[in-house]
Amino acid sequence: MAQDLKTDQSGYMLMNKPDYPRVSTFPNLVWVILLMMLFITVLLWAVSFVANAPLEEMSEWAKTPNPAKAPWYFIGLQELLVYFDPWIAGVMIPNQLITGLILIPYVDVSPTIQGRYAWEGRKFAISVFTFGAIMWFALIVVGQFLRGPSWQVYWPIIDYDIGGHGWVREGMPLKQGITKLKSMSMGAGATLILGYSFFGMVLPLVIPKMFPKAKLTRALKGYLDVLGPIKYFVVQSHILMILGVLGKIILRLGFNVKYILETPWFKI
Amino acid sequence: MSEKPEEKSGIGKTLDFLAGLLTSNPIYKSIFRVGWPNTVLKRMAVMRSSFYMHIFPTKVGKHGLKLKYCWCMGGIVFFLFLLLTITGILLMFYYIPDENRAFQDMKDLQFMVPFGVILRNMHRWAAHGMVFTVMLHMMRVFYTGSYKPPRQFNWAVGVLLLLVTFLLSFTGYLLPWDQLGFWAVTVGTNMASSTPVIGYEGPFHELLGVQIDNDIRFALIGGTRIGANALVRAYVWHCVGLPLILTAMMVFHFWRIRKDGFSGPM
Ligand code: HEM
């Protein structure tokens, strides 16, 4: 893909054509900005009049609150601690998120579909991004609103007994505190992870060969052709990691799996 | 370029007369290099010849002005940053990052300082607002496909802006020195101790002989638990280090928007 855009891509940007509808910045955009500033200032002021910033009692390191929650924008990662060891939830996943986001423009295959909302031609990219965004916000909502003492699920509205850990009742939804978790055996775990990575990488390449006539095949083949091997590897490994996080959540909640793979050095 | 004369009502004529009085005197002209911008040419000149306005192009595509296209979101993020800078400087007058004073200063803001409560509230809510709007801004850039060539690198810079915005908000969280911030930051920084190799609880930490008192978390908080050193570090990052980094990156972000051109349909 040619990158010299001064001569090539932006050359046919509609906006750069002489007859494209344009207006002078002053006063049109200046008005928008002025009104936006007024609106935000008034809104912030109004909110600050009715809602006070929280201030709890003075910090005391011997008095750990239960639960101790991270700020809301990091709480999704804290929520992942239920499913992963901290080196994955707090270090690997955020790093993968940042690199994944940065890489988006560099693995993009439809450079000309831009400057407008379009679903055609970007179905795959939009689906992946939206899926990730939903997961991010869902984890935040669960961590912020549904987690109580000992990071147990507390549903809103339901009236819980006060006091200690004794709140867990018979037949409570998601009694994580008392369900027994088991880890998978070394062999099963290693097979699962290797198999998942291998088939995850290879299946999208093989399926078109197996069903050469299916409608999806044509779309997939077209996509793979523009992507090329390197970009395919990058994209697919990120997708496998996103789905892997979801997979571990399902294994944990549905099958009480603590670790898929337990080695003396690290646990997944 | 010829301007077609407009039919003006009585009020319009009066306003023009007043504007003329206001803008044709030597003092106005010494400040604003172009006179009253009442023609297309002057309107373009007023953008080009003004130090602050020069950040904008002289003309903009009509589609970009629409709220449904850009949501004004990047601008709102930046404006919130400005409000945070102003309220933040005022807060610094009343706040000392000392283990024994910080919390009392919060109480003083609440009960002694005139408008202290409103000042603190504005800073707090604007901070949450900035974190939230920066996410929305990223989503609008994604869904309009505005990160595509030639703007790939500006998107990458944007992702780092997102990260620095999170860190700014996070470091500020500790400063009130109350239970809420103290434990939130404890939880957050504890994660750093599990970094592979350089965190004392992370996998492979033995490789470099990393322990609790020489790992990455120790470097961040200046101790083995959140204490006086962590407070000063959070304060310095929050009030000096990260704002400088964010400003430098935003300047670059804006410069690239002008150089790449604002996005539009191809
Ligand atoms: C401190 C944070 C940020 C500030 C102050 C900021 C500010 C702005 C402003 C004022 C614009 C002009 C258009 C608009 O208002 O939408 C813009 C455009 C843009 N921003 Fe940001 N931004 C920030 C973070 C981000 C992030 C997190 C991303 C993406 C990951 C990003 C990517 C972009 C791109 C690619 C454009 C060009 C869009 C176009 O031409 O349509 N920015 N930014």
Side-chain angles (χ1 to χ4, degrees):
Chain A
M1 177 59 41
Q3 295 283 317
D4 187 1
L5 296 142
K6 280 276 165 299
T7 54
D8 134 30
Q9 312 246 352
S10 52
Y12 55 87
M13 250 178 89
L14 287 178
M15 234 172 80
N16 295 344
K17 300 244 162 80
D19 55 345
Y20 189 82
R22 286 189 292 168
V23 292
S24 55
T25 306
F26 187 100
N28 301 284
L29 180 62
V30 176
W31 264 123
V32 173
I33 290 169
L34 189 68
L35 288 177
M36 176 276 283
M37 296 201 306
L38 275 174
F39 173 70
I40 296 294
T41 311
V42 171
L43 184 73
L44 183 64
W45 221 337
V47 170
S48 301
F49 267 109
V50 293
N52 275 340
L55 185 69
E56 299 186 349
E57 68 256 57
M58 187 166 159
S59 69
E60 207 175 315
W61 77 278
K63 223 161 81 185
T64 315
N66 185 6
K69 288 193 179 185
W72 64 271
Y73 40 88
F74 284 151
I75 221 169
L77 302 174
Q78 195 183 0
E79 174 63 17
L80 282 174
L81 283 175
V82 174
Y83 311 101
F84 294 99
D85 277 359
W87 69 275
I88 301 184
V91 185
M92 306 309 280
I93 290 177
N95 275 306
Q96 190 237 326
L97 274 175
I98 299 286
T99 23
L101 283 173
I102 289 180
L103 284 173
I104 289 176
Y106 299 98
V107 297
D108 189 81
V109 292
S110 52
T112 55
I113 306 181
Q114 60 166 269
R116 61 198 164 86
Y117 298 99
W119 166 244
E120 278 315 314
R122 297 184 65 201
K123 288 181 185 161
F124 181 68
I126 289 185
S127 308
V128 175
F129 184 86
T130 308
F131 180 80
I134 290 175
M135 232 163 101
W136 172 255
F137 286 113
L139 286 167
I140 289 179
V141 168
V142 173
Q144 183 75 25
F145 299 115
L146 300 185
R147 293 296 187 179
S150 305
W151 214 254
Q152 300 293 334
V153 172
Y154 275 73
W155 298 102
I157 303 174
I158 297 179
D159 221 356
Y160 290 94
D161 296 339
I162 303 173
H165 297 271
W167 67 272
V168 182
R169 294 186 223 153
E170 245 9 275
M172 211 53 150
L174 283 183
K175 335 163 255 198
Q176 287 174 1
I178 51 174
T179 40
K180 245 180 108 50
L181 299 176
K182 8 180 215 315
S183 295
M184 296 172 78
S185 73
M186 187 82 146
T191 316
L192 183 61
I193 287 187
L194 289 177
Y196 173 73
S197 319
F198 178 77
F199 286 109
M201 258 316 153
V202 170
L203 275 186
L205 302 174
V206 178
I207 287 178
K209 300 227 157 65
M210 283 159 48
F211 308 98
K213 294 230 173 59
K215 209 173 126 208
L216 197 68
T217 298
R218 253 181 296 139
L220 191 60
K221 256 185 79 73
Y223 177 63
L224 292 177
D225 284 344
V226 261
L227 210 55
I230 297 175
K231 287 185 190 172
Y232 170 75
F233 182 76
V234 171
V235 171
Q236 189 62 2
S237 36
H238 278 270
I239 287 177
L240 287 178
M241 280 191 266
I242 298 174
L243 291 180
V245 170
L246 187 69
K248 176 75 196 282
I249 292 178
I250 292 171
L251 282 179
R252 170 74 165 71
L253 293 181
F255 303 92
N256 296 325
V257 171
K258 186 163 170 60
Y259 294 116
I260 297 174
L261 183 64
E262 239 179 327
T263 72
W265 310 280
F266 60 88
K267 305 179 172 92
I268 295 174
Chain B
M1 194 182 279
S2 69
E3 289 288 306
K4 85 168 178 272
E6 285 175 42
E7 280 297 313
K8 289 253 160 113
S9 65
I11 295 179
K13 279 186 191 143
T14 320
L15 282 180
D16 271 1
F17 175 72
L18 287 178
L21 271 190
L22 203 65
T23 58
S24 59
N25 62 66
I27 298 178
Y28 181 93
K29 283 185 174 164
S30 74
I31 303 172
F32 301 101
R33 297 177 61 230
V34 179
W36 188 243
N38 51 0
T39 68
V40 172
L41 268 186
K42 276 192 187 168
R43 282 173 178 178
M44 296 176 68
V46 88
M47 301 304 290
R48 232 182 303 118
S49 67
S50 155
F51 179 70
Y52 292 105
M53 292 297 206
H54 197 246
I55 196 167
F56 297 113
T58 52
K59 285 195 166 195
V60 287
K62 255 190 168 152
H63 74 281
L65 276 180
K66 295 197 181 117
L67 221 49
K68 82 165 193 232
Y69 184 71
C70 91
W71 313 352
C72 253
M73 251 332 140
I76 292 180
V77 180
F78 180 60
F79 185 60
L80 283 173
F81 179 72
L82 291 184
L83 289 178
L84 283 162
T85 309
I86 296 167
T87 51
I89 288 174
L90 293 175
L91 283 173
M92 282 172 81
F93 292 159
Y94 301 103
Y95 176 84
I96 307 236
D98 178 274
E99 228 185 343
N100 302 313
R101 264 202 72 172
F103 185 74
Q104 300 315 322
D105 288 343
M106 287 292 124
K107 287 288 178 198
D108 277 356
L109 272 169
Q110 211 168 354
F111 296 114
M112 303 302 292
V113 178
F115 303 109
V117 178
I118 212 89
L119 185 63
R120 182 164 173 251
N121 288 352
M122 283 180 76
H123 195 73
R124 183 73 156 217
W125 300 135
H128 283 311
M130 188 174 164
V131 172
F132 189 62
T133 48
V134 75
M135 291 183 198
L136 290 185
H137 172 56
M138 182 172 88
M139 292 171 74
R140 111 65 195 152
V141 172
F142 179 84
Y143 286 116
T144 56
S146 305
Y147 59 85
K148 301 187 185 202
R151 294 177 207 84
Q152 305 103 312
F153 187 63
N154 216 14
W155 165 273
V157 172
V159 176
L160 297 180
L161 278 169
L162 177 86
L163 184 68
V164 177
T165 306
F166 282 6
L167 294 179
L168 249 175
S169 180
F170 186 66
T171 48
Y173 220 67
L174 181 65
L175 302 183
W177 206 241
D178 65 340
Q179 283 287 74
L180 188 68
F182 185 90
W183 289 99
V185 172
T186 302
V187 168
T189 48
N190 274 350
M191 293 230 183
S193 66
S194 0
T195 314
V197 187
I198 52 174
Y200 83 99
E201 287 176 325
F204 307 116
H205 65 97
E206 318 83 359
L207 289 180
L208 296 178
V210 164
Q211 292 160 4
I212 189 167
D213 57 358
N214 62 5
D215 75 335
I216 174 80
R217 173 169 164 275
F218 190 88
L220 287 176
I221 65 176
T224 53
R225 65 170 180 86
I226 303 285
N229 286 349
L231 183 56
V232 173
R233 281 179 199 209
Y235 179 76
V236 174
W237 278 118
H238 186 75
C239 301
V240 186
L242 291 171
L244 281 179
I245 295 172
L246 197 75
T247 305
M249 286 166 59
M250 284 193 310
V251 168
F252 183 86
H253 195 63
F254 299 158
W255 173 79
R256 271 305 287 251
I257 297 169
R258 282 301 307 280
K259 290 294 156 186
D260 297 337
F262 189 64
S263 64
M266 308 235 7

